[in-house]
Amino acid sequence: MKVIVKRFFALVLMAGLLLPVFAARRVLDFPGEDFSADLIYNETACAGDALYVRLVFHGTSPESGKMFAGISSELELFRGGKSVRKASFFELASEETSYSRTFLAGVPLSTWWTKSDKFSADLDISVPGYGNRHITLPFALNHKDFVSETIPLDDTNTAIKTDGSTARMNQIAKLNKILATINPTGVYQDTPFVPPTPVVRRTSYFGDRRVFAYSSGGSSTSMHYGVDYGMPEGTEVKACAAGKVVLSEWRNSTGWSIVIEHLPGLYSLYYHLSKMIVSEGDMVSEGQLIALSGCTGLATGPHLHWEMRLNSEAVNPNFFTGDFAFSDKKNW
């Protein structure tokens, strides 16, 4: 197999700064066959971001196009020689000829991993009639610091944070089930997402290490799973990308809440809202008005909490405002 590597820079917004993300393209030739494949992926990222791989198969005949329909591929991330993440590829709508097929897969990168960890990504490609191909891709983490903060809670928020009621546990279980769902046909947008608001004031960032100090004494620790925008109650909240609304309801801890599916296993979440404009089952477009911001649930002031989940795990929302899926062919 002949491999040609081409590196380029993609600019991704992280915590308000433009940071370079190294990405690589590999042209995979299959000797003796009438097809090849482009493999594009980000060979570095920060903890809390994601690793995405895009595969574009190019054929020269209707026969190769039919064969591509049976392709199956899996992405597997190794840390210190141990498998830590897996994801199956799903098919995207192709803008190429009918002889071509495009596939995408992504895995989340834990905020607790460090630059010193040793990583590699394995790719297994099965082509009907031509067997399996195994490819190992180099991958590394960039250094990133996370903020630590202590948040004092009043009696109301202490009661919400320590609520162990059946109702709240059922809400958590319902959300977790949704976020764990990977629907291979749930493909709505692979181009860069947009922030849900033009407001630039942020009161908390993704990955902040938090200590909640209870009014009753004692405390608990957690990680902040999203980005908080400080804004007056009633500010417009818009969908960060096209997708399907899979949850729109009241939750004890997050107040009025919306969850939207964008890609298989990839969801955006919007919390502490004051007014809901979309309902479960609605289809939304990028930038569509979905709600008004508020101060419902566990909130110390009016704000919007925007969160992204990939395969159940929280991922830096700003990562998706760059060309995370390599949809722009100019970068190839």
Side-chain angles (χ1 to χ4, degrees), residues 1 9 27 35 47-48 58 63 77 93 96 101 116 162 165 191-192 224 228 232 244 264 286 293 314-316 328:
M1 177 175 63
F9 295 94
V27 180
F35 64 91
H58 307 280
E63 287 71 27
L77 182 68
E96 304 287 338
R101 294 293 180 96
S116 62
T162 58
S165 67
T191 54
H224 190 228
D228 285 350
K244 180 179 181 180
E286 177 189 300
S293 67
V315 179
N316 185 357
D328 190 347

PDB file of all heavy atoms in Angstrom, residues 1 9 27 35 47-48 58 63 77 93 96 101 116 162 165 191-192 224 228 232 244 264 286 293 314-316 328:
ATOM      1  N   MET A   1       0.843  -1.185   0.000  1.00  0.00           N
ATOM      2  CA  MET A   1       0.000   0.000   0.000  1.00  0.00           C
ATOM      3  C   MET A   1       0.884   1.244   0.000  1.00  0.00           C
ATOM      4  O   MET A   1       1.772   1.402   0.832  1.00  0.00           O
ATOM      5  CB  MET A   1      -0.890   0.007   1.245  1.00  0.00           C
ATOM      6  CG  MET A   1      -1.762   1.235   1.387  1.00  0.00           C
ATOM      7  SD  MET A   1      -2.871   1.094   2.798  1.00  0.00           S
ATOM      8  CE  MET A   1      -1.666   1.016   4.124  1.00  0.00           C
ATOM      9  N   PHE A   9      -2.541  23.044   8.411  1.00  0.00           N
ATOM     10  CA  PHE A   9      -3.030  23.620   9.647  1.00  0.00           C
ATOM     11  C   PHE A   9      -4.518  23.916   9.525  1.00  0.00           C
ATOM     12  O   PHE A   9      -4.973  24.420   8.510  1.00  0.00           O
ATOM     13  CB  PHE A   9      -2.315  24.941   9.972  1.00  0.00           C
ATOM     14  CG  PHE A   9      -0.861  24.784  10.243  1.00  0.00           C
ATOM     15  CD1 PHE A   9       0.079  24.938   9.236  1.00  0.00           C
ATOM     16  CD2 PHE A   9      -0.418  24.487  11.519  1.00  0.00           C
ATOM     17  CE1 PHE A   9       1.420  24.808   9.495  1.00  0.00           C
ATOM     18  CE2 PHE A   9       0.929  24.354  11.783  1.00  0.00           C
ATOM     19  CZ  PHE A   9       1.860  24.516  10.762  1.00  0.00           C
ATOM     20  N   VAL A  27      -3.046   9.440   1.240  1.00  0.00           N
ATOM     21  CA  VAL A  27      -3.665   8.875   0.052  1.00  0.00           C
ATOM     22  C   VAL A  27      -3.360   7.390   0.039  1.00  0.00           C
ATOM     23  O   VAL A  27      -2.199   6.984  -0.024  1.00  0.00           O
ATOM     24  CB  VAL A  27      -3.145   9.540  -1.235  1.00  0.00           C
ATOM     25  CG1 VAL A  27      -3.823   8.923  -2.453  1.00  0.00           C
ATOM     26  CG2 VAL A  27      -3.393  11.040  -1.195  1.00  0.00           C
ATOM     27  N   PHE A  35      -9.534   1.486  -7.328  1.00  0.00           N
ATOM     28  CA  PHE A  35      -9.999   2.490  -6.370  1.00  0.00           C
ATOM     29  C   PHE A  35      -8.871   2.892  -5.429  1.00  0.00           C
ATOM     30  O   PHE A  35      -7.857   2.185  -5.289  1.00  0.00           O
ATOM     31  CB  PHE A  35     -11.189   1.967  -5.569  1.00  0.00           C
ATOM     32  CG  PHE A  35     -10.881   0.787  -4.687  1.00  0.00           C
ATOM     33  CD1 PHE A  35     -10.483   0.962  -3.378  1.00  0.00           C
ATOM     34  CD2 PHE A  35     -11.002  -0.517  -5.167  1.00  0.00           C
ATOM     35  CE1 PHE A  35     -10.202  -0.129  -2.553  1.00  0.00           C
ATOM     36  CE2 PHE A  35     -10.737  -1.599  -4.359  1.00  0.00           C
ATOM     37  CZ  PHE A  35     -10.331  -1.410  -3.053  1.00  0.00           C
ATOM     38  N   ALA A  47      -6.374  17.772  25.256  1.00  0.00           N
ATOM     39  CA  ALA A  47      -7.233  16.969  26.115  1.00  0.00           C
ATOM     40  C   ALA A  47      -8.607  17.619  26.168  1.00  0.00           C
ATOM     41  O   ALA A  47      -8.729  18.834  26.291  1.00  0.00           O
ATOM     42  CB  ALA A  47      -6.634  16.878  27.515  1.00  0.00           C
ATOM     43  N   GLY A  48      -9.643  16.801  26.043  1.00  0.00           N
ATOM     44  CA  GLY A  48     -10.997  17.324  26.027  1.00  0.00           C
ATOM     45  C   GLY A  48     -11.528  17.601  24.636  1.00  0.00           C
ATOM     46  O   GLY A  48     -12.706  17.933  24.482  1.00  0.00           O
ATOM     47  N   HIS A  58     -12.532   6.527  -3.630  1.00  0.00           N
ATOM     48  CA  HIS A  58     -12.715   6.957  -5.009  1.00  0.00           C
ATOM     49  C   HIS A  58     -12.668   5.735  -5.931  1.00  0.00           C
ATOM     50  O   HIS A  58     -11.685   4.995  -5.950  1.00  0.00           O
ATOM     51  CB  HIS A  58     -11.610   7.933  -5.436  1.00  0.00           C
ATOM     52  CG  HIS A  58     -11.453   9.095  -4.510  1.00  0.00           C
ATOM     53  ND1 HIS A  58     -12.271  10.196  -4.541  1.00  0.00           N
ATOM     54  CD2 HIS A  58     -10.562   9.311  -3.505  1.00  0.00           C
ATOM     55  CE1 HIS A  58     -11.886  11.054  -3.602  1.00  0.00           C
ATOM     56  NE2 HIS A  58     -10.857  10.538  -2.964  1.00  0.00           N
ATOM     57  N   GLU A  63     -19.078  -0.699 -10.708  1.00  0.00           N
ATOM     58  CA  GLU A  63     -18.808  -1.876  -9.875  1.00  0.00           C
ATOM     59  C   GLU A  63     -18.126  -1.466  -8.574  1.00  0.00           C
ATOM     60  O   GLU A  63     -18.450  -1.984  -7.500  1.00  0.00           O
ATOM     61  CB  GLU A  63     -17.927  -2.867 -10.642  1.00  0.00           C
ATOM     62  CG  GLU A  63     -18.638  -3.608 -11.757  1.00  0.00           C
ATOM     63  CD  GLU A  63     -18.974  -2.707 -12.943  1.00  0.00           C
ATOM     64  OE1 GLU A  63     -18.260  -1.705 -13.153  1.00  0.00           O
ATOM     65  OE2 GLU A  63     -19.957  -3.003 -13.641  1.00  0.00           O
ATOM     66  N   LEU A  77      -8.496   3.984  19.456  1.00  0.00           N
ATOM     67  CA  LEU A  77      -7.433   4.798  20.034  1.00  0.00           C
ATOM     68  C   LEU A  77      -6.745   4.036  21.162  1.00  0.00           C
ATOM     69  O   LEU A  77      -7.407   3.442  22.014  1.00  0.00           O
ATOM     70  CB  LEU A  77      -8.013   6.112  20.573  1.00  0.00           C
ATOM     71  CG  LEU A  77      -7.011   7.099  21.183  1.00  0.00           C
ATOM     72  CD1 LEU A  77      -6.089   7.663  20.107  1.00  0.00           C
ATOM     73  CD2 LEU A  77      -7.741   8.238  21.899  1.00  0.00           C
ATOM     74  N   ALA A  93     -23.258  11.851   3.303  1.00  0.00           N
ATOM     75  CA  ALA A  93     -23.723  12.106   1.942  1.00  0.00           C
ATOM     76  C   ALA A  93     -22.526  12.573   1.119  1.00  0.00           C
ATOM     77  O   ALA A  93     -21.819  13.499   1.506  1.00  0.00           O
ATOM     78  CB  ALA A  93     -24.811  13.167   1.949  1.00  0.00           C
ATOM     79  N   GLU A  96     -19.158  13.562  -4.223  1.00  0.00           N
ATOM     80  CA  GLU A  96     -18.356  13.043  -5.320  1.00  0.00           C
ATOM     81  C   GLU A  96     -19.261  12.349  -6.332  1.00  0.00           C
ATOM     82  O   GLU A  96     -20.483  12.451  -6.277  1.00  0.00           O
ATOM     83  CB  GLU A  96     -17.314  12.065  -4.760  1.00  0.00           C
ATOM     84  CG  GLU A  96     -16.424  12.653  -3.674  1.00  0.00           C
ATOM     85  CD  GLU A  96     -15.397  13.629  -4.232  1.00  0.00           C
ATOM     86  OE1 GLU A  96     -15.096  13.526  -5.438  1.00  0.00           O
ATOM     87  OE2 GLU A  96     -14.917  14.480  -3.465  1.00  0.00           O
ATOM     88  N   ARG A 101     -17.577   7.094  -2.034  1.00  0.00           N
ATOM     89  CA  ARG A 101     -18.279   7.047  -0.759  1.00  0.00           C
ATOM     90  C   ARG A 101     -17.419   7.738   0.296  1.00  0.00           C
ATOM     91  O   ARG A 101     -16.185   7.621   0.281  1.00  0.00           O
ATOM     92  CB  ARG A 101     -18.553   5.608  -0.326  1.00  0.00           C
ATOM     93  CG  ARG A 101     -19.530   4.846  -1.219  1.00  0.00           C
ATOM     94  CD  ARG A 101     -20.939   5.412  -1.133  1.00  0.00           C
ATOM     95  NE  ARG A 101     -21.880   4.694  -1.971  1.00  0.00           N
ATOM     96  CZ  ARG A 101     -22.683   3.719  -1.552  1.00  0.00           C
ATOM     97  NH1 ARG A 101     -22.640   3.340  -0.301  1.00  0.00           N
ATOM     98  NH2 ARG A 101     -23.508   3.114  -2.387  1.00  0.00           N
ATOM     99  N   SER A 116       2.152  13.913  28.125  1.00  0.00           N
ATOM    100  CA  SER A 116       3.155  12.859  28.307  1.00  0.00           C
ATOM    101  C   SER A 116       2.630  11.470  27.972  1.00  0.00           C
ATOM    102  O   SER A 116       3.408  10.529  27.801  1.00  0.00           O
ATOM    103  CB  SER A 116       3.686  12.872  29.741  1.00  0.00           C
ATOM    104  OG  SER A 116       2.633  12.614  30.665  1.00  0.00           O
ATOM    105  N   THR A 162     -27.636  18.446  45.832  1.00  0.00           N
ATOM    106  CA  THR A 162     -27.624  17.248  46.688  1.00  0.00           C
ATOM    107  C   THR A 162     -28.903  16.425  46.558  1.00  0.00           C
ATOM    108  O   THR A 162     -29.109  15.472  47.320  1.00  0.00           O
ATOM    109  CB  THR A 162     -27.424  17.650  48.159  1.00  0.00           C
ATOM    110  OG1 THR A 162     -28.474  18.558  48.556  1.00  0.00           O
ATOM    111  CG2 THR A 162     -26.074  18.336  48.361  1.00  0.00           C
ATOM    112  N   SER A 165     -33.423  12.430  44.761  1.00  0.00           N
ATOM    113  CA  SER A 165     -34.774  11.921  44.570  1.00  0.00           C
ATOM    114  C   SER A 165     -34.856  10.984  43.370  1.00  0.00           C
ATOM    115  O   SER A 165     -34.040  11.031  42.448  1.00  0.00           O
ATOM    116  CB  SER A 165     -35.748  13.083  44.364  1.00  0.00           C
ATOM    117  OG  SER A 165     -35.477  13.753  43.140  1.00  0.00           O
ATOM    118  N   THR A 191     -20.192  20.034   8.595  1.00  0.00           N
ATOM    119  CA  THR A 191     -19.443  21.272   8.423  1.00  0.00           C
ATOM    120  C   THR A 191     -19.298  21.962   9.774  1.00  0.00           C
ATOM    121  O   THR A 191     -19.991  21.610  10.730  1.00  0.00           O
ATOM    122  CB  THR A 191     -20.167  22.203   7.430  1.00  0.00           C
ATOM    123  OG1 THR A 191     -21.515  22.395   7.882  1.00  0.00           O
ATOM    124  CG2 THR A 191     -20.183  21.597   6.032  1.00  0.00           C
ATOM    125  N   PRO A 192     -18.382  22.941   9.905  1.00  0.00           N
ATOM    126  CA  PRO A 192     -18.167  23.585  11.209  1.00  0.00           C
ATOM    127  C   PRO A 192     -19.458  24.122  11.820  1.00  0.00           C
ATOM    128  O   PRO A 192     -20.296  24.706  11.141  1.00  0.00           O
ATOM    129  CB  PRO A 192     -17.195  24.723  10.878  1.00  0.00           C
ATOM    130  CG  PRO A 192     -16.425  24.215   9.698  1.00  0.00           C
ATOM    131  CD  PRO A 192     -17.434  23.442   8.882  1.00  0.00           C
ATOM    132  N   HIS A 224     -16.585  20.891  34.810  1.00  0.00           N
ATOM    133  CA  HIS A 224     -17.602  21.607  34.045  1.00  0.00           C
ATOM    134  C   HIS A 224     -17.618  21.069  32.620  1.00  0.00           C
ATOM    135  O   HIS A 224     -16.614  21.114  31.915  1.00  0.00           O
ATOM    136  CB  HIS A 224     -17.314  23.109  34.034  1.00  0.00           C
ATOM    137  CG  HIS A 224     -18.431  23.919  33.472  1.00  0.00           C
ATOM    138  ND1 HIS A 224     -18.235  24.894  32.523  1.00  0.00           N
ATOM    139  CD2 HIS A 224     -19.766  23.892  33.717  1.00  0.00           C
ATOM    140  CE1 HIS A 224     -19.395  25.449  32.212  1.00  0.00           C
ATOM    141  NE2 HIS A 224     -20.335  24.853  32.923  1.00  0.00           N
ATOM    142  N   ASP A 228     -20.157  28.329  29.638  1.00  0.00           N
ATOM    143  CA  ASP A 228     -21.223  29.186  30.140  1.00  0.00           C
ATOM    144  C   ASP A 228     -21.085  30.588  29.567  1.00  0.00           C
ATOM    145  O   ASP A 228     -20.021  31.212  29.672  1.00  0.00           O
ATOM    146  CB  ASP A 228     -21.175  29.268  31.672  1.00  0.00           C
ATOM    147  CG  ASP A 228     -21.683  28.010  32.341  1.00  0.00           C
ATOM    148  OD1 ASP A 228     -22.247  27.150  31.634  1.00  0.00           O
ATOM    149  OD2 ASP A 228     -21.506  27.879  33.570  1.00  0.00           O
ATOM    150  N   PRO A 232     -28.239  38.296  29.748  1.00  0.00           N
ATOM    151  CA  PRO A 232     -29.506  38.578  30.417  1.00  0.00           C
ATOM    152  C   PRO A 232     -30.544  37.506  30.108  1.00  0.00           C
ATOM    153  O   PRO A 232     -30.528  36.896  29.033  1.00  0.00           O
ATOM    154  CB  PRO A 232     -29.931  39.932  29.824  1.00  0.00           C
ATOM    155  CG  PRO A 232     -28.676  40.521  29.266  1.00  0.00           C
ATOM    156  CD  PRO A 232     -27.845  39.364  28.813  1.00  0.00           C
ATOM    157  N   LYS A 244     -31.669  17.021  14.926  1.00  0.00           N
ATOM    158  CA  LYS A 244     -32.981  16.598  15.404  1.00  0.00           C
ATOM    159  C   LYS A 244     -33.056  16.788  16.913  1.00  0.00           C
ATOM    160  O   LYS A 244     -32.163  16.350  17.649  1.00  0.00           O
ATOM    161  CB  LYS A 244     -33.220  15.124  15.055  1.00  0.00           C
ATOM    162  CG  LYS A 244     -34.566  14.586  15.520  1.00  0.00           C
ATOM    163  CD  LYS A 244     -34.723  13.125  15.119  1.00  0.00           C
ATOM    164  CE  LYS A 244     -36.069  12.574  15.563  1.00  0.00           C
ATOM    165  NZ  LYS A 244     -36.226  11.139  15.171  1.00  0.00           N
ATOM    166  N   PRO A 264     -24.092  10.703  14.299  1.00  0.00           N
ATOM    167  CA  PRO A 264     -24.187   9.523  15.162  1.00  0.00           C
ATOM    168  C   PRO A 264     -23.309   9.651  16.409  1.00  0.00           C
ATOM    169  O   PRO A 264     -22.088   9.770  16.309  1.00  0.00           O
ATOM    170  CB  PRO A 264     -23.705   8.396  14.242  1.00  0.00           C
ATOM    171  CG  PRO A 264     -24.079   8.864  12.872  1.00  0.00           C
ATOM    172  CD  PRO A 264     -23.831  10.345  12.891  1.00  0.00           C
ATOM    173  N   GLU A 286     -28.992  25.036  11.239  1.00  0.00           N
ATOM    174  CA  GLU A 286     -27.959  25.818  11.909  1.00  0.00           C
ATOM    175  C   GLU A 286     -28.424  27.265  12.072  1.00  0.00           C
ATOM    176  O   GLU A 286     -28.899  27.892  11.132  1.00  0.00           O
ATOM    177  CB  GLU A 286     -26.673  25.780  11.085  1.00  0.00           C
ATOM    178  CG  GLU A 286     -25.545  26.618  11.663  1.00  0.00           C
ATOM    179  CD  GLU A 286     -24.362  26.727  10.714  1.00  0.00           C
ATOM    180  OE1 GLU A 286     -23.788  25.660  10.365  1.00  0.00           O
ATOM    181  OE2 GLU A 286     -24.024  27.850  10.310  1.00  0.00           O
ATOM    182  N   SER A 293     -32.644  32.241  26.842  1.00  0.00           N
ATOM    183  CA  SER A 293     -31.814  31.917  28.003  1.00  0.00           C
ATOM    184  C   SER A 293     -32.527  32.282  29.298  1.00  0.00           C
ATOM    185  O   SER A 293     -33.486  33.062  29.311  1.00  0.00           O
ATOM    186  CB  SER A 293     -30.486  32.666  27.913  1.00  0.00           C
ATOM    187  OG  SER A 293     -30.711  34.072  28.052  1.00  0.00           O
ATOM    188  N   ALA A 314     -18.253  14.288  27.432  1.00  0.00           N
ATOM    189  CA  ALA A 314     -18.213  15.722  27.173  1.00  0.00           C
ATOM    190  C   ALA A 314     -16.952  16.087  26.394  1.00  0.00           C
ATOM    191  O   ALA A 314     -15.845  15.640  26.725  1.00  0.00           O
ATOM    192  CB  ALA A 314     -18.261  16.489  28.483  1.00  0.00           C
ATOM    193  N   VAL A 315     -17.131  16.895  25.350  1.00  0.00           N
ATOM    194  CA  VAL A 315     -16.036  17.349  24.496  1.00  0.00           C
ATOM    195  C   VAL A 315     -16.115  18.866  24.392  1.00  0.00           C
ATOM    196  O   VAL A 315     -17.206  19.447  24.415  1.00  0.00           O
ATOM    197  CB  VAL A 315     -16.124  16.708  23.091  1.00  0.00           C
ATOM    198  CG1 VAL A 315     -15.008  17.190  22.187  1.00  0.00           C
ATOM    199  CG2 VAL A 315     -16.088  15.183  23.197  1.00  0.00           C
ATOM    200  N   ASN A 316     -14.961  19.521  24.289  1.00  0.00           N
ATOM    201  CA  ASN A 316     -14.906  20.980  24.198  1.00  0.00           C
ATOM    202  C   ASN A 316     -15.793  21.480  23.057  1.00  0.00           C
ATOM    203  O   ASN A 316     -15.528  21.178  21.889  1.00  0.00           O
ATOM    204  CB  ASN A 316     -13.459  21.413  23.970  1.00  0.00           C
ATOM    205  CG  ASN A 316     -13.281  22.923  23.987  1.00  0.00           C
ATOM    206  OD1 ASN A 316     -14.237  23.675  24.121  1.00  0.00           O
ATOM    207  ND2 ASN A 316     -12.049  23.361  23.846  1.00  0.00           N
ATOM    208  N   ASP A 328     -14.073  20.692   4.294  1.00  0.00           N
ATOM    209  CA  ASP A 328     -13.567  21.629   3.298  1.00  0.00           C
ATOM    210  C   ASP A 328     -12.437  20.984   2.499  1.00  0.00           C
ATOM    211  O   ASP A 328     -11.350  20.771   3.002  1.00  0.00           O
ATOM    212  CB  ASP A 328     -13.066  22.900   3.990  1.00  0.00           C
ATOM    213  CG  ASP A 328     -12.738  24.019   3.008  1.00  0.00           C
ATOM    214  OD1 ASP A 328     -12.654  23.742   1.787  1.00  0.00           O
ATOM    215  OD2 ASP A 328     -12.569  25.153   3.455  1.00  0.00           O
TER     216      ASP A 328
END
